[in-house]
């Protein structure tokens, strides 16, 4: 898992475009809100994508963590190596 992309809501999103990931499900009180209960993943340029479940949200968080480690370790090293 060294990909810089993560699949969210059937879209491959570049991890470096993600600003933040919501911990709690979206709720805004709008009757016709189509995003209620989904987890917002905020992107640059005022865009958002929506994780459909806590599991999908966690996959994004994990992908971000792996990707950040890859950035630190650098130079294509295996994350399992010291
Ligand atoms: Zn809403």
């Amino acid at each position: 898992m060294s990909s810089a992309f993560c699949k969210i809501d059937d879209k491959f999103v570049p991890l470096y475009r993600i600003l933040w990931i919501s911990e709690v499900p979206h709720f805004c009180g709008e009757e016709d809100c189509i995003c209620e209960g989904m987890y917002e993943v905020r992107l640059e340029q005022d865009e958002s994508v929506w994780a459909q479940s806590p599991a999908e949200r966690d996959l994004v968080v994990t992908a971000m963590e792996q990707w950040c480690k890859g950035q630190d370790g650098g130079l294509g090293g295996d994350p399992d190596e010291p």
Side-chain angles (χ1 to χ4, degrees):
M1 282 292 289
S2 58
S3 173
F5 291 82
C6 184
K7 196 174 174 202
I8 306 168
D9 192 21
D10 294 328
K11 303 167 190 72
F12 286 104
V13 178
L15 292 169
Y16 55 80
R17 290 201 61 208
I18 296 175
L19 299 180
W20 49 258
I21 301 164
S22 181
E23 185 183 9
V24 295
H26 173 80
F27 175 79
C28 65
E30 303 271 345
E31 247 176 59
D32 56 352
C33 180
I34 59 166
C35 303
E36 198 169 305
M38 299 202 285
Y39 294 80
E40 183 167 13
V41 179
R42 187 67 171 180
L43 307 178
E44 294 170 358
Q45 314 289 339
D46 281 341
E47 287 181 70
S48 291
V49 290
W50 299 85
Q52 308 285 326
S53 65
E56 189 174 9
R57 189 268 325 268
D58 287 348
L59 282 177
V60 183
V61 174
T62 303
M64 286 286 283
E65 284 173 348
Q66 292 294 328
W67 180 69
C68 288
K69 279 184 204 164
Q71 297 281 300
D72 289 345
L75 307 178
D78 190 318
D80 292 324
E81 281 174 17

